[in-house]
mmCIF file of all heavy atoms in Angstrom:
data_model
loop_
_atom_site.group_PDB
_atom_site.id
_atom_site.type_symbol
_atom_site.label_atom_id
_atom_site.label_comp_id
_atom_site.label_asym_id
_atom_site.label_seq_id
_atom_site.Cartn_x
_atom_site.Cartn_y
_atom_site.Cartn_z
ATOM 1 N N SER A 1 0.811 -1.223 0.000
ATOM 2 C CA SER A 1 0.000 0.000 0.000
ATOM 3 C C SER A 1 0.841 1.268 0.000
ATOM 4 O O SER A 1 0.332 2.351 -0.320
ATOM 5 C CB SER A 1 -0.937 0.019 1.212
ATOM 6 O OG SER A 1 -0.188 0.008 2.422
ATOM 7 N N LEU A 2 2.116 1.178 0.370
ATOM 8 C CA LEU A 2 2.967 2.366 0.402
ATOM 9 C C LEU A 2 4.423 1.946 0.287
ATOM 10 O O LEU A 2 4.827 0.914 0.857
ATOM 11 C CB LEU A 2 2.754 3.151 1.694
ATOM 12 C CG LEU A 2 3.546 4.455 1.871
ATOM 13 C CD1 LEU A 2 2.717 5.473 2.646
ATOM 14 C CD2 LEU A 2 4.861 4.190 2.630
ATOM 15 N N THR A 3 5.205 2.720 -0.454
ATOM 16 C CA THR A 3 6.641 2.471 -0.568
ATOM 17 C C THR A 3 7.394 3.790 -0.445
ATOM 18 O O THR A 3 6.954 4.820 -0.958
ATOM 19 C CB THR A 3 7.006 1.810 -1.910
ATOM 20 O OG1 THR A 3 6.604 2.673 -2.981
ATOM 21 C CG2 THR A 3 6.328 0.459 -2.064
ATOM 22 N N ASP A 4 8.502 3.758 0.241
ATOM 23 C CA ASP A 4 9.417 4.904 0.331
ATOM 24 C C ASP A 4 10.828 4.325 0.312
ATOM 25 O O ASP A 4 11.301 3.777 1.300
ATOM 26 C CB ASP A 4 9.168 5.697 1.613
ATOM 27 C CG ASP A 4 10.012 6.976 1.667
ATOM 28 O OD1 ASP A 4 10.921 7.126 0.825
ATOM 29 O OD2 ASP A 4 9.760 7.813 2.540
ATOM 30 N N TRP A 5 11.502 4.434 -0.829
ATOM 31 C CA TRP A 5 12.808 3.814 -1.028
ATOM 32 C C TRP A 5 13.970 4.762 -0.702
ATOM 33 O O TRP A 5 15.120 4.399 -0.921
ATOM 34 C CB TRP A 5 12.959 3.327 -2.463
ATOM 35 C CG TRP A 5 11.872 2.418 -2.934
ATOM 36 C CD1 TRP A 5 10.943 2.664 -3.899
ATOM 37 C CD2 TRP A 5 11.583 1.091 -2.472
ATOM 38 N NE1 TRP A 5 10.099 1.604 -4.072
ATOM 39 C CE2 TRP A 5 10.468 0.611 -3.213
ATOM 40 C CE3 TRP A 5 12.152 0.253 -1.504
ATOM 41 C CZ2 TRP A 5 9.920 -0.650 -3.016
ATOM 42 C CZ3 TRP A 5 11.604 -1.004 -1.313
ATOM 43 C CH2 TRP A 5 10.509 -1.444 -2.059
ATOM 44 N N LYS A 6 13.710 5.962 -0.221
ATOM 45 C CA LYS A 6 14.767 6.946 -0.004
ATOM 46 C C LYS A 6 15.504 6.662 1.310
ATOM 47 O O LYS A 6 14.894 6.612 2.369
ATOM 48 C CB LYS A 6 14.186 8.350 0.032
ATOM 49 C CG LYS A 6 13.548 8.787 -1.287
ATOM 50 C CD LYS A 6 12.964 10.195 -1.176
ATOM 51 C CE LYS A 6 12.298 10.611 -2.480
ATOM 52 N NZ LYS A 6 11.700 11.979 -2.387
ATOM 53 N N HIS A 7 16.827 6.496 1.207
ATOM 54 C CA HIS A 7 17.677 6.292 2.377
ATOM 55 C C HIS A 7 18.538 7.526 2.601
ATOM 56 O O HIS A 7 18.929 8.198 1.645
ATOM 57 C CB HIS A 7 18.585 5.069 2.180
ATOM 58 C CG HIS A 7 17.840 3.774 2.078
ATOM 59 N ND1 HIS A 7 17.593 2.964 3.171
ATOM 60 C CD2 HIS A 7 17.291 3.145 1.006
ATOM 61 C CE1 HIS A 7 16.925 1.888 2.781
ATOM 62 N NE2 HIS A 7 16.726 1.970 1.462
ATOM 63 N N ASN A 8 18.846 7.812 3.856
ATOM 64 C CA ASN A 8 19.702 8.947 4.169
ATOM 65 C C ASN A 8 21.117 8.512 4.546
ATOM 66 O O ASN A 8 21.815 9.197 5.297
ATOM 67 C CB ASN A 8 19.098 9.780 5.309
ATOM 68 C CG ASN A 8 19.012 8.994 6.611
ATOM 69 O OD1 ASN A 8 19.321 7.800 6.660
ATOM 70 N ND2 ASN A 8 18.598 9.657 7.680
ATOM 71 N N HIS A 9 21.545 7.377 4.049
ATOM 72 C CA HIS A 9 22.860 6.834 4.377
ATOM 73 C C HIS A 9 23.375 6.002 3.214
ATOM 74 O O HIS A 9 22.630 5.665 2.282
ATOM 75 C CB HIS A 9 22.781 5.962 5.646
ATOM 76 C CG HIS A 9 21.741 4.879 5.540
ATOM 77 N ND1 HIS A 9 21.986 3.654 4.964
ATOM 78 C CD2 HIS A 9 20.431 4.860 5.913
ATOM 79 C CE1 HIS A 9 20.891 2.920 5.001
ATOM 80 N NE2 HIS A 9 19.924 3.628 5.580
ATOM 81 N N ASP A 10 24.650 5.675 3.262
ATOM 82 C CA ASP A 10 25.255 4.840 2.229
ATOM 83 C C ASP A 10 24.841 3.389 2.412
ATOM 84 O O ASP A 10 24.266 3.015 3.441
ATOM 85 C CB ASP A 10 26.781 4.955 2.275
ATOM 86 C CG ASP A 10 27.256 6.359 1.913
ATOM 87 O OD1 ASP A 10 26.613 6.977 1.045
ATOM 88 O OD2 ASP A 10 28.247 6.825 2.515
ATOM 89 N N ARG A 11 25.164 2.565 1.426
ATOM 90 C CA ARG A 11 24.843 1.148 1.513
ATOM 91 C C ARG A 11 25.613 0.512 2.658
ATOM 92 O O ARG A 11 26.766 0.869 2.947
ATOM 93 C CB ARG A 11 25.131 0.444 0.189
ATOM 94 C CG ARG A 11 26.579 0.431 -0.242
ATOM 95 C CD ARG A 11 26.741 -0.247 -1.592
ATOM 96 N NE ARG A 11 26.308 -1.637 -1.527
ATOM 97 C CZ ARG A 11 25.740 -2.280 -2.548
ATOM 98 N NH1 ARG A 11 25.515 -1.650 -3.691
ATOM 99 N NH2 ARG A 11 25.387 -3.546 -2.420
ATOM 100 N N LEU A 12 24.981 -0.437 3.335
ATOM 101 C CA LEU A 12 25.580 -1.131 4.459
ATOM 102 C C LEU A 12 26.227 -2.446 4.025
ATOM 103 O O LEU A 12 27.277 -2.829 4.527
ATOM 104 C CB LEU A 12 24.517 -1.397 5.526
ATOM 105 C CG LEU A 12 24.959 -2.176 6.771
ATOM 106 C CD1 LEU A 12 25.994 -1.369 7.542
ATOM 107 C CD2 LEU A 12 23.768 -2.494 7.660
ATOM 108 N N ILE A 13 25.599 -3.127 3.077
ATOM 109 C CA ILE A 13 26.108 -4.411 2.595
ATOM 110 C C ILE A 13 27.105 -4.148 1.473
ATOM 111 O O ILE A 13 26.766 -3.481 0.491
ATOM 112 C CB ILE A 13 24.962 -5.301 2.088
ATOM 113 C CG1 ILE A 13 23.887 -5.443 3.172
ATOM 114 C CG2 ILE A 13 25.473 -6.663 1.662
ATOM 115 C CD1 ILE A 13 22.635 -6.130 2.697
ATOM 116 N N PRO A 14 28.316 -4.642 1.555
ATOM 117 C CA PRO A 14 29.291 -4.410 0.487
ATOM 118 C C PRO A 14 28.881 -5.106 -0.803
ATOM 119 O O PRO A 14 28.061 -6.037 -0.794
ATOM 120 C CB PRO A 14 30.593 -4.999 1.052
ATOM 121 C CG PRO A 14 30.132 -6.011 2.066
ATOM 122 C CD PRO A 14 28.873 -5.457 2.647
ATOM 123 N N LEU A 15 29.433 -4.652 -1.911
ATOM 124 C CA LEU A 15 29.138 -5.264 -3.209
ATOM 125 C C LEU A 15 29.528 -6.736 -3.183
ATOM 126 O O LEU A 15 30.629 -7.094 -2.756
ATOM 127 C CB LEU A 15 29.899 -4.539 -4.324
ATOM 128 C CG LEU A 15 29.457 -3.097 -4.614
ATOM 129 C CD1 LEU A 15 30.385 -2.449 -5.629
ATOM 130 C CD2 LEU A 15 28.018 -3.079 -5.120
ATOM 131 N N GLY A 16 28.635 -7.583 -3.642
ATOM 132 C CA GLY A 16 28.878 -9.020 -3.631
ATOM 133 C C GLY A 16 28.473 -9.698 -2.342
ATOM 134 O O GLY A 16 28.472 -10.925 -2.269
ATOM 135 N N GLY A 17 28.114 -8.914 -1.298
ATOM 136 C CA GLY A 17 27.710 -9.503 -0.035
ATOM 137 C C GLY A 17 26.211 -9.750 0.009
ATOM 138 O O GLY A 17 25.481 -9.477 -0.942
ATOM 139 N N HIS A 18 25.740 -10.262 1.121
ATOM 140 C CA HIS A 18 24.306 -10.515 1.278
ATOM 141 C C HIS A 18 23.928 -10.334 2.738
ATOM 142 O O HIS A 18 24.762 -10.442 3.637
ATOM 143 C CB HIS A 18 23.933 -11.931 0.809
ATOM 144 C CG HIS A 18 24.578 -13.022 1.614
ATOM 145 N ND1 HIS A 18 24.022 -13.516 2.770
ATOM 146 C CD2 HIS A 18 25.747 -13.704 1.441
ATOM 147 C CE1 HIS A 18 24.799 -14.452 3.275
ATOM 148 N NE2 HIS A 18 25.854 -14.589 2.497
ATOM 149 N N ALA A 19 22.664 -10.053 2.962
ATOM 150 C CA ALA A 19 22.142 -9.864 4.313
ATOM 151 C C ALA A 19 21.420 -11.127 4.759
ATOM 152 O O ALA A 19 20.861 -11.861 3.944
ATOM 153 C CB ALA A 19 21.183 -8.673 4.345
ATOM 154 N N SER A 20 21.463 -11.377 6.062
ATOM 155 C CA SER A 20 20.747 -12.531 6.596
ATOM 156 C C SER A 20 19.247 -12.265 6.539
ATOM 157 O O SER A 20 18.789 -11.159 6.814
ATOM 158 C CB SER A 20 21.171 -12.791 8.047
ATOM 159 O OG SER A 20 20.896 -11.662 8.853
ATOM 160 N N ARG A 21 18.487 -13.304 6.152
ATOM 161 C CA ARG A 21 17.035 -13.186 6.075
ATOM 162 C C ARG A 21 16.386 -14.225 6.966
ATOM 163 O O ARG A 21 16.965 -15.277 7.226
ATOM 164 C CB ARG A 21 16.575 -13.367 4.621
ATOM 165 C CG ARG A 21 16.744 -12.133 3.765
ATOM 166 C CD ARG A 21 16.201 -12.366 2.375
ATOM 167 N NE ARG A 21 17.142 -13.094 1.541
ATOM 168 C CZ ARG A 21 16.821 -13.668 0.381
ATOM 169 N NH1 ARG A 21 15.577 -13.616 -0.042
ATOM 170 N NH2 ARG A 21 17.724 -14.304 -0.324
ATOM 171 N N PRO A 22 15.178 -13.958 7.451
ATOM 172 C CA PRO A 22 14.520 -14.909 8.342
ATOM 173 C C PRO A 22 14.301 -16.245 7.642
ATOM 174 O O PRO A 22 14.098 -16.302 6.426
ATOM 175 C CB PRO A 22 13.177 -14.230 8.667
ATOM 176 C CG PRO A 22 13.396 -12.780 8.369
ATOM 177 C CD PRO A 22 14.370 -12.735 7.234
ATOM 178 N N PRO A 23 14.339 -17.350 8.376
ATOM 179 C CA PRO A 23 14.086 -18.664 7.773
ATOM 180 C C PRO A 23 12.648 -18.780 7.283
ATOM 181 O O PRO A 23 11.733 -18.192 7.856
ATOM 182 C CB PRO A 23 14.378 -19.647 8.909
ATOM 183 C CG PRO A 23 14.203 -18.843 10.164
ATOM 184 C CD PRO A 23 14.640 -17.451 9.817
ATOM 185 N N THR A 24 12.447 -19.543 6.225
ATOM 186 C CA THR A 24 11.115 -19.749 5.669
ATOM 187 C C THR A 24 10.391 -20.847 6.451
ATOM 188 O O THR A 24 10.980 -21.566 7.263
ATOM 189 C CB THR A 24 11.211 -20.148 4.191
ATOM 190 O OG1 THR A 24 11.899 -21.419 4.083
ATOM 191 C CG2 THR A 24 11.995 -19.104 3.393
ATOM 192 N N HIS A 25 9.080 -20.992 6.168
ATOM 193 C CA HIS A 25 8.297 -22.046 6.828
ATOM 194 C C HIS A 25 8.815 -23.431 6.439
ATOM 195 O O HIS A 25 8.843 -24.342 7.284
ATOM 196 C CB HIS A 25 6.823 -21.907 6.450
ATOM 197 C CG HIS A 25 6.149 -20.707 7.050
ATOM 198 N ND1 HIS A 25 6.009 -20.545 8.414
ATOM 199 C CD2 HIS A 25 5.599 -19.607 6.480
ATOM 200 C CE1 HIS A 25 5.385 -19.402 8.656
ATOM 201 N NE2 HIS A 25 5.137 -18.807 7.502
ATOM 202 N N ASP A 26 9.219 -23.606 5.182
ATOM 203 C CA ASP A 26 9.759 -24.905 4.756
ATOM 204 C C ASP A 26 11.037 -25.238 5.512
ATOM 205 O O ASP A 26 11.248 -26.391 5.920
ATOM 206 C CB ASP A 26 10.041 -24.889 3.245
ATOM 207 C CG ASP A 26 8.764 -24.822 2.423
ATOM 208 O OD1 ASP A 26 7.697 -25.178 2.965
ATOM 209 O OD2 ASP A 26 8.830 -24.407 1.251
ATOM 210 N N GLN A 27 11.896 -24.244 5.707
ATOM 211 C CA GLN A 27 13.127 -24.484 6.457
ATOM 212 C C GLN A 27 12.830 -24.828 7.908
ATOM 213 O O GLN A 27 13.458 -25.711 8.488
ATOM 214 C CB GLN A 27 14.035 -23.256 6.364
ATOM 215 C CG GLN A 27 14.635 -23.043 4.981
ATOM 216 C CD GLN A 27 15.403 -21.738 4.870
ATOM 217 O OE1 GLN A 27 15.046 -20.750 5.498
ATOM 218 N NE2 GLN A 27 16.453 -21.729 4.063
ATOM 219 N N LYS A 28 11.852 -24.143 8.502
ATOM 220 C CA LYS A 28 11.482 -24.439 9.879
ATOM 221 C C LYS A 28 10.947 -25.858 10.005
ATOM 222 O O LYS A 28 11.264 -26.574 10.977
ATOM 223 C CB LYS A 28 10.437 -23.437 10.366
ATOM 224 C CG LYS A 28 10.958 -22.014 10.529
ATOM 225 C CD LYS A 28 9.839 -21.086 11.007
ATOM 226 C CE LYS A 28 10.328 -19.663 11.158
ATOM 227 N NZ LYS A 28 9.249 -18.743 11.609
ATOM 228 N N ASP A 29 10.124 -26.290 9.050
ATOM 229 C CA ASP A 29 9.553 -27.638 9.092
ATOM 230 C C ASP A 29 10.646 -28.698 8.978
ATOM 231 O O ASP A 29 10.626 -29.700 9.705
ATOM 232 C CB ASP A 29 8.534 -27.811 7.964
ATOM 233 C CG ASP A 29 7.280 -26.981 8.173
ATOM 234 O OD1 ASP A 29 7.032 -26.587 9.335
ATOM 235 O OD2 ASP A 29 6.557 -26.723 7.190
ATOM 236 N N VAL A 30 11.597 -28.482 8.056
ATOM 237 C CA VAL A 30 12.677 -29.458 7.872
ATOM 238 C C VAL A 30 13.542 -29.552 9.115
ATOM 239 O O VAL A 30 13.880 -30.647 9.585
ATOM 240 C CB VAL A 30 13.532 -29.077 6.648
ATOM 241 C CG1 VAL A 30 14.787 -29.944 6.574
ATOM 242 C CG2 VAL A 30 12.731 -29.231 5.368
ATOM 243 N N VAL A 31 13.895 -28.402 9.696
ATOM 244 C CA VAL A 31 14.726 -28.400 10.900
ATOM 245 C C VAL A 31 13.997 -29.089 12.052
ATOM 246 O O VAL A 31 14.590 -29.856 12.816
ATOM 247 C CB VAL A 31 15.111 -26.964 11.285
ATOM 248 C CG1 VAL A 31 15.826 -26.953 12.632
ATOM 249 C CG2 VAL A 31 16.010 -26.353 10.218
ATOM 250 N N SER A 32 12.684 -28.850 12.179
ATOM 251 C CA SER A 32 11.916 -29.476 13.247
ATOM 252 C C SER A 32 11.904 -30.994 13.109
ATOM 253 O O SER A 32 12.062 -31.726 14.096
ATOM 254 C CB SER A 32 10.490 -28.928 13.244
ATOM 255 O OG SER A 32 9.698 -29.559 14.234
ATOM 256 N N LYS A 33 11.732 -31.487 11.881
ATOM 257 C CA LYS A 33 11.703 -32.932 11.655
ATOM 258 C C LYS A 33 13.059 -33.573 11.910
ATOM 259 O O LYS A 33 13.146 -34.701 12.400
ATOM 260 C CB LYS A 33 11.245 -33.221 10.231
ATOM 261 C CG LYS A 33 9.791 -32.843 9.956
ATOM 262 C CD LYS A 33 9.421 -33.082 8.505
ATOM 263 C CE LYS A 33 7.975 -32.676 8.234
ATOM 264 N NZ LYS A 33 7.608 -32.848 6.802
ATOM 265 N N LEU A 34 14.132 -32.856 11.556
ATOM 266 C CA LEU A 34 15.471 -33.423 11.698
ATOM 267 C C LEU A 34 15.969 -33.417 13.137
ATOM 268 O O LEU A 34 16.794 -34.261 13.514
ATOM 269 C CB LEU A 34 16.465 -32.656 10.820
ATOM 270 C CG LEU A 34 16.281 -32.758 9.305
ATOM 271 C CD1 LEU A 34 17.304 -31.894 8.587
ATOM 272 C CD2 LEU A 34 16.391 -34.202 8.840
ATOM 273 N N THR A 35 15.496 -32.471 13.938
ATOM 274 C CA THR A 35 16.057 -32.302 15.286
ATOM 275 C C THR A 35 15.180 -32.844 16.402
ATOM 276 O O THR A 35 15.609 -32.861 17.555
ATOM 277 C CB THR A 35 16.338 -30.807 15.563
ATOM 278 O OG1 THR A 35 15.126 -30.066 15.385
ATOM 279 C CG2 THR A 35 17.386 -30.283 14.609
ATOM 280 N N THR A 36 13.957 -33.259 16.099
ATOM 281 C CA THR A 36 13.084 -33.788 17.153
ATOM 282 C C THR A 36 12.719 -35.239 16.910
ATOM 283 O O THR A 36 11.836 -35.765 17.574
ATOM 284 C CB THR A 36 11.788 -32.948 17.253
ATOM 285 O OG1 THR A 36 11.109 -32.962 15.983
ATOM 286 C CG2 THR A 36 12.111 -31.514 17.636
ATOM 287 N N GLY A 37 13.385 -35.889 15.956
ATOM 288 C CA GLY A 37 13.104 -37.293 15.675
ATOM 289 C C GLY A 37 13.882 -38.213 16.609
ATOM 290 O O GLY A 37 14.450 -37.798 17.621
ATOM 291 N N GLY A 38 13.922 -39.484 16.231
ATOM 292 C CA GLY A 38 14.625 -40.462 17.052
ATOM 293 C C GLY A 38 16.121 -40.206 17.098
ATOM 294 O O GLY A 38 16.768 -40.432 18.117
ATOM 295 N N VAL A 39 16.699 -39.750 15.973
ATOM 296 C CA VAL A 39 18.132 -39.458 15.900
ATOM 297 C C VAL A 39 18.279 -37.985 15.549
ATOM 298 O O VAL A 39 18.283 -37.608 14.380
ATOM 299 C CB VAL A 39 18.834 -40.337 14.843
ATOM 300 C CG1 VAL A 39 20.328 -40.055 14.846
ATOM 301 C CG2 VAL A 39 18.557 -41.816 15.118
ATOM 302 N N PRO A 40 18.367 -37.095 16.547
ATOM 303 C CA PRO A 40 18.468 -35.658 16.262
ATOM 304 C C PRO A 40 19.742 -35.313 15.507
ATOM 305 O O PRO A 40 20.818 -35.825 15.811
ATOM 306 C CB PRO A 40 18.440 -35.022 17.657
ATOM 307 C CG PRO A 40 18.911 -36.101 18.577
ATOM 308 C CD PRO A 40 18.421 -37.389 17.986
ATOM 309 N N PHE A 41 19.612 -34.442 14.511
ATOM 310 C CA PHE A 41 20.731 -34.020 13.695
ATOM 311 C C PHE A 41 21.461 -32.861 14.368
ATOM 312 O O PHE A 41 20.875 -32.063 15.094
ATOM 313 C CB PHE A 41 20.250 -33.578 12.321
ATOM 314 C CG PHE A 41 19.918 -34.718 11.393
ATOM 315 C CD1 PHE A 41 19.128 -35.784 11.813
ATOM 316 C CD2 PHE A 41 20.403 -34.734 10.097
ATOM 317 C CE1 PHE A 41 18.818 -36.824 10.965
ATOM 318 C CE2 PHE A 41 20.094 -35.770 9.236
ATOM 319 C CZ PHE A 41 19.299 -36.822 9.670
ATOM 320 N N SER A 42 22.748 -32.745 14.081
ATOM 321 C CA SER A 42 23.531 -31.626 14.587
ATOM 322 C C SER A 42 23.336 -30.415 13.679
ATOM 323 O O SER A 42 22.719 -30.509 12.614
ATOM 324 C CB SER A 42 25.010 -31.992 14.646
ATOM 325 O OG SER A 42 25.521 -32.203 13.332
ATOM 326 N N ARG A 43 23.882 -29.264 14.087
ATOM 327 C CA ARG A 43 23.736 -28.049 13.291
ATOM 328 C C ARG A 43 24.404 -28.197 11.927
ATOM 329 O O ARG A 43 23.853 -27.759 10.909
ATOM 330 C CB ARG A 43 24.325 -26.857 14.045
ATOM 331 C CG ARG A 43 24.093 -25.521 13.379
ATOM 332 C CD ARG A 43 24.522 -24.371 14.264
ATOM 333 N NE ARG A 43 25.954 -24.349 14.476
ATOM 334 C CZ ARG A 43 26.586 -23.424 15.190
ATOM 335 N NH1 ARG A 43 25.885 -22.468 15.799
ATOM 336 N NH2 ARG A 43 27.895 -23.458 15.345
ATOM 337 N N ALA A 44 25.588 -28.814 11.903
ATOM 338 C CA ALA A 44 26.295 -29.002 10.636
ATOM 339 C C ALA A 44 25.518 -29.933 9.708
ATOM 340 O O ALA A 44 25.454 -29.708 8.493
ATOM 341 C CB ALA A 44 27.693 -29.547 10.890
ATOM 342 N N GLN A 45 24.913 -30.975 10.260
ATOM 343 C CA GLN A 45 24.140 -31.912 9.439
ATOM 344 C C GLN A 45 22.883 -31.248 8.888
ATOM 345 O O GLN A 45 22.510 -31.475 7.739
ATOM 346 C CB GLN A 45 23.775 -33.137 10.272
ATOM 347 C CG GLN A 45 24.966 -34.016 10.630
ATOM 348 C CD GLN A 45 24.596 -35.116 11.617
ATOM 349 O OE1 GLN A 45 23.764 -34.924 12.507
ATOM 350 N NE2 GLN A 45 25.226 -36.268 11.482
#
């Protein structure tokens, strides 16, 4: 319903970099299944 793209500062993310974004529902579901089952997975797995 409204957009205002004007910033009063320089870019924060360097060229070629990326910002962290919240996990999606699919990612949450997969993590829940992997970590609450009979054999819980580690963070690396």
Side-chain angles (χ1 to χ4, degrees):
S1 61
L2 182 146
T3 60
D4 186 349
W5 306 113
K6 296 179 181 179
H7 295 267
N8 64 355
H9 54 86
D10 294 325
R11 64 182 298 147
L12 178 64
I13 306 172
L15 292 174
H18 63 87
S20 59
R21 280 183 280 166
T24 63
H25 290 297
D26 292 339
Q27 290 174 327
K28 292 180 181 179
D29 291 340
V30 171
V31 173
S32 177
K33 293 177 181 178
L34 294 177
T35 57
T36 58
V39 183
F41 283 48
S42 66
R43 186 172 66 178
Q45 291 172 325

